[in-house]
Amino acid sequence: MRIRWLILFGLLSGLQACGFQLRGFSTLPDQLSNLRVITDDLTRTQQHDLNQQLQRAGATLNFDIEHQSAVLKISVNSLPERNIVDSAGSDRTIVRLSRQLRYSLTDTVGNRIVDNKILLQTQDLELDDNNLLGIESEKQLTMENLDKALFNSLLIQLRRL
C-alpha cells in the first residue's frame, strides 16, 4: 500500500513539474473592448452565438451608433454544396458543406484595422439517401456547427490584433 502512495506522489509531482498551467479565457485587445457589430444577413441564432462569444471574450457590445466604439462588420454566406461521393449501391452520399465569413474592422476614429478578410470552414457530411427527412436536419445542424467554428476563428483573429 505504501508503494502505491509513493508512486502516486511521484507521478503527481512529475506532472506539476512539466510546466502546465490552466490559463482561462483569453481576452480581446483593449482597442476592441467597446465594439459595435454590424451584421447584414445573420439570422437571430447566428447573431446570438456571435454576441455571446464576443462578450465572453471581454467585449462590451454597443448598439448605439453615436457611441465611440470600434466597428466590426460581418457577413456569413453559404457556398454551394458539392457532392464528393455519390454511391448508388450503398444509398450513401457524401457532400461538402461550406460557409464563408467576411469581416472588416475599423477603430473608434474610423481607421481600417482589417479590410475584407475572409474565413472559410468546410465539413464533409455522409448522408443516408433512405432517410430523406433526416437529411435536411443533418445539414442544418452541420451549418450551425460551421457557424460556431467560423465565430471561433474570428475571435482567434481578433485576439491577434
Side-chain angles (χ1 to χ4, degrees):
M1 182 71 167
R2 192 175 269 214
I3 294 174
R4 287 184 183 166
W5 281 107
L6 188 59
I7 291 172
L8 180 64
F9 178 73
L11 289 173
L12 288 176
S13 61
L15 178 63
Q16 195 154 10
C18 77
F20 174 76
Q21 293 180 348
L22 187 60
R23 295 281 180 195
F25 293 110
S26 62
T27 59
L28 293 174
D30 290 338
Q31 63 188 3
L32 301 178
S33 61
N34 288 320
L35 193 61
R36 184 164 55 99
V37 180
I38 298 174
T39 58
D40 295 329
D41 57 353
L42 287 151
T43 65
R44 272 192 178 181
T45 304
Q46 290 171 326
Q47 286 178 349
H48 180 263
D49 290 344
L50 176 63
N51 290 345
Q52 263 191 334
Q53 288 190 15
L54 287 169
Q55 288 172 339
R56 268 192 237 129
T60 301
L61 300 180
N62 297 312
F63 300 99
D64 185 14
I65 295 173
E66 302 197 6
H67 192 274
Q68 285 283 31
S69 57
V71 177
L72 177 64
K73 286 186 175 184
I74 295 177
S75 66
V76 175
N77 300 317
S78 292
L79 300 177
E81 105 182 18
R82 293 180 42 204
N83 279 352
I84 304 298
V85 176
D86 192 5
S87 177
S90 67
D91 293 329
R92 298 278 182 189
T93 303
I94 297 177
V95 296
R96 179 165 291 158
L97 302 175
S98 303
R99 282 271 223 233
Q100 174 181 305
L101 183 142
R102 183 181 304 260
Y103 74 99
S104 62
L105 180 66
T106 56
D107 63 10
T108 56
V109 288
N111 299 326
R112 291 251 181 205
I113 300 172
V114 177
D115 191 24
N116 286 330
K117 189 156 186 174
I118 296 174
L119 303 173
L120 179 69
Q121 288 286 329
T122 62
Q123 185 169 345
D124 294 343
L125 180 64
E126 183 177 342
L127 301 173
D128 182 4
D129 294 337
N130 292 327
N131 184 9
L132 296 177
L133 295 176
I135 287 176
E136 286 307 312
S137 63
E138 283 186 60
K139 286 182 182 179
Q140 182 63 33
L141 183 62
T142 301
M143 290 301 215
E144 289 173 10
N145 290 336
L146 287 173
D147 289 341
K148 289 177 183 178
L150 279 172
F151 297 150
N152 285 334
S153 296
L154 174 66
L155 286 175
I156 290 169
Q157 294 294 318
L158 293 177
R159 286 179 181 132
R160 291 182 181 166
L161 298 176

